[in-house]
Amino acid sequence: MPHLYTLDLAANLWTYGNVDVKEHLADFIGQLYSRQQQEICQLYRDYSRCTIVYGPHKDDRAGEEFYHHPARQIMGFWLQGKEGSDERLCWTAGEKPFAEQVRWFKEKAELAIPGWVELRERCL
């Protein structure tokens, strides 16, 4: 559900031009949950800390599509028996041979696992 929060935040920014992020998150959580709202707000804030850092810039952090969209591209490239590098993955994995691009995604995903496991446990 984190994408719903981001969309709601963007809608408020679009409508009002400025948003108090802490207040907006509290209001958003208040609309969805009747109990443990402070704890849930913290989970939403911590969600972004779990995302994969894929580039050198502060905002080079992966959204939820990063976990399945490149995987589909990797499988398609592999199943088609293509060689070289997959141009669709170069934006983040670089212009490397395909096997190195796959390794890059695997390493990034593995580094993120502990954070996601910890967040999941807290959610439960």
Side-chain angles (χ1 to χ4, degrees):
M1 205 170 331
H3 66 283
L4 295 178
Y5 168 70
T6 306
L7 290 172
D8 192 69
L9 179 63
N12 276 267
L13 282 169
W14 186 278
T15 302
Y16 306 112
N18 192 8
V19 174
D20 179 315
V21 178
K22 288 182 181 180
E23 183 179 320
H24 175 266
L25 178 59
D27 290 345
F28 180 80
I29 296 302
Q31 292 174 29
L32 296 176
Y33 304 95
S34 60
R35 299 179 323 181
Q36 295 180 291
Q37 294 173 356
Q38 289 181 350
E39 293 89 347
I40 295 169
C41 281
Q42 188 60 49
L43 292 170
Y44 270 70
R45 286 190 293 274
D46 291 345
Y47 172 87
S48 64
R49 293 183 189 109
C50 294
T51 59
I52 290 175
V53 176
Y54 63 83
H57 306 289
K58 184 178 178 181
D59 63 346
D60 287 343
R61 299 193 74 95
E64 63 259 17
E65 289 192 15
F66 191 84
Y67 302 97
H68 60 85
H69 191 66
R72 285 196 310 267
Q73 290 175 325
I74 287 168
M75 289 304 298
F77 191 87
W78 177 69
L79 288 171
Q80 293 173 34
K82 294 183 177 179
E83 295 182 16
S85 62
D86 187 338
E87 292 176 8
R88 300 168 304 173
L89 303 175
C90 291
W91 66 275
T92 188
E95 294 185 34
K96 312 171 182 173
F98 179 64
E100 289 182 38
Q101 289 177 318
V102 172
R103 196 171 2 270
W104 184 92
F105 276 97
K106 177 183 180 286
E107 289 170 1
K108 291 295 183 182
E110 285 176 338
L111 288 172
I113 290 171
W116 289 121
V117 168
E118 189 270 333
L119 185 66
R120 179 183 179 274
E121 291 301 314
R122 289 178 39 221
C123 287
L124 293 175

